[in-house]
Amino acid sequence: MSVRFAVQASTERECQQALELLCRRLGLEPVLLPRLLSDNRWMARAVPGTPKPPADDRGLATGA
């Protein structure tokens, strides 16, 4: 099963802002930037991002 998150908005700006918020808060990666649909709505999609290795006290990645 593939998990996807979608954003629909009335304007391109609203759609972009909502996509950025989802990605930032949930650690998602955009896979479809805002696109105008045929019914005059904007849509964007994101998927879960790849986990990043934990950082040490200096902000450097640890492990392999």
Side-chain angles (χ1 to χ4, degrees):
M1 178 175 77
S2 177
V3 176
R4 285 171 251 162
F5 295 83
V7 173
Q8 288 185 340
S10 298
T11 67
E12 181 179 14
R13 183 178 174 159
E14 287 176 340
C15 193
Q16 181 67 37
Q17 288 173 336
L19 177 64
E20 290 171 4
L21 182 66
L22 270 180
C23 290
R24 197 169 43 249
R25 289 200 177 163
L26 300 178
L28 304 177
E29 294 180 6
V31 292
L32 175 68
L33 295 178
R35 300 272 190 236
L36 184 61
L37 303 177
S38 60
D39 57 355
N40 209 29
R41 291 179 295 147
W42 289 86
M43 176 181 264
R45 289 192 186 120
V47 296
T50 52
K52 296 184 173 91
D56 65 11
D57 294 337
R58 297 171 293 164
L60 302 173
T62 60

